[in-house]
Amino acid sequence: MVEAKGLYYRYSKNGDYVLHDLNFSIERGEFVFVIGASGAGKSTLFKLLIREIVPIKGTLKVFGHDLARMPRYRVPYLRRNIGMVFQDFRLLEDRTAFENIAFAMQVTGASRREIKRRVPYVLEMVGLLDKAHSRVCDLSGGEQQRVGLARAIINRPAMIIADEPTGNLDPDNSYEIMNILRSFNMRGTTVLVATHDQEMVNYLKKRVIRLEKGRVVADEAKGVYAGAL
Ligand code: ADP
């Protein structure tokens, strides 16, 4: 599903590499945490995965396609298969939960009928059916992130990537968000989560890829978040 081989990235021609020689692969159906201190390279790796930026050296394959060679017209198809979740939610605040999720379906050309059927189903999956018609600005942070999760899964992506999804939430809401991500994963979606949240990593006991200064320094099947970060 994802394969990095000798992957390097730097933001400017004469700058330092911020990712050095990354080598790992992620299989379909895995749940993987990417951990590391601020500046370790987690967001850069995620930007590469959605081809917001292009590898400098090495290969990065996603769904079997080499992203360095992917023509521009293919990028929307790649992104359609990746659901994104953000620390700051990135929702349309003055729209309802339903509208935010429906919008993500509309842009793929889904019919009104499909939207009417699927949005409530997905709202139910994240436990927010009763808030379908509340405006996002009237929802709590935890509820807003559940809208974010519903939006990420709505088009049945093969993979979800979540960048610090619990970064703005209290522990109770964080557990809830992680449990929903785990439920998506149990239904077959591959999930990648970048986080600082030691408690969540130790709670879920999933694979952990640890980055330090742009290098993979550990890759453990049932990792724990040990050591000072
Ligand atoms: P993390 O997500 O783990 O905090 P980042 O991927 O954001 O790490 O950052 C990795 C390194 O790349 C850091 O040294 C950061 O300063 C640098 N960096 C990130 N974004 C840019 C950018 N747009 N231009 C230049 N350097 C950047």
Side-chain angles (χ1 to χ4, degrees), residues 11 18 36-45 47 163:
Y11 282 94
V18 298
S38 176
K42 305 178 297 294
S43 304
T44 302
L45 177 60
K47 283 190 249 175
D163 198 355

Side-chain angles (χ1 to χ4, degrees), residues 9-12 16-19 35-47 163-164 194 196 211 214:
Y9 190 77
R10 62 181 170 194
Y11 282 94
S12 62
D16 294 332
Y17 282 105
V18 298
L19 294 179
I35 65 169
S38 176
K42 305 178 297 294
S43 304
T44 302
L45 177 60
F46 281 12
K47 283 190 249 175
D163 198 355
E164 300 279 359
H196 278 105
L211 293 179

Side-chain angles (χ1 to χ4, degrees), residues 118-136:
R118 179 142 173 95
V119 174
Y121 173 76
V122 169
L123 276 166
E124 171 99 69
M125 278 170 77
V126 301
L128 217 57
L129 194 52
D130 57 332
K131 298 279 171 79
H133 301 295
S134 301
R135 286 196 309 168
V136 163

Side-chain angles (χ1 to χ4, degrees), residues 31 149 172-186 200 203-204:
F31 190 122
L149 291 177
D172 283 353
N173 279 305
S174 298
Y175 278 102
E176 200 153 342
I177 294 304
M178 285 296 169
N179 282 330
I180 295 168
L181 284 169
R182 179 165 61 180
S183 75
F184 290 171
N185 177 244
M186 289 191 301
M200 292 306 126
Y203 168 63
L204 285 190

Side-chain angles (χ1 to χ4, degrees), residues 47-169:
K47 283 190 249 175
L48 285 164
L49 289 171
I50 57 166
R51 207 176 181 278
E52 204 174 296
I53 55 179
V54 184
I56 305 286
K57 274 202 281 182
T59 53
L60 180 62
K61 285 189 182 172
V62 178
F63 313 136
H65 300 284
D66 182 350
L67 298 193
R69 293 154 166 265
M70 179 174 278
R72 197 180 287 258
Y73 77 88
R74 291 274 323 164
V75 172
Y77 297 97
L78 168 79
R79 293 190 185 152
R80 201 164 287 179
N81 257 308
I82 300 177
M84 295 285 298
V85 181
F86 307 95
Q87 175 171 2
D88 55 1
F89 320 137
R90 300 199 195 171
L91 301 166
L92 304 167
E93 299 250 329
D94 58 341
R95 301 296 185 87
T96 66
F98 188 104
E99 285 166 345
N100 269 270
I101 303 161
F103 185 66
M105 272 188 96
Q106 276 161 12
V107 297
T108 70
S111 70
R112 283 171 64 115
R113 205 165 132 225
E114 284 172 276
I115 291 171
K116 262 187 154 167
R117 200 179 52 211
R118 179 142 173 95
V119 174
Y121 173 76
V122 169
L123 276 166
E124 171 99 69
M125 278 170 77
V126 301
L128 217 57
L129 194 52
D130 57 332
K131 298 279 171 79
H133 301 295
S134 301
R135 286 196 309 168
V136 163
C137 56
D138 296 326
L139 299 177
S140 70
E143 288 168 341
Q144 291 192 22
Q145 192 58 302
R146 284 192 270 155
V147 177
L149 291 177
R151 180 184 57 186
I153 198 81
I154 190 75
N155 294 318
R156 302 181 178 83
M159 179 162 74
I160 285 188
I161 63 185
D163 198 355
E164 300 279 359
T166 60
N168 286 336
L169 303 178

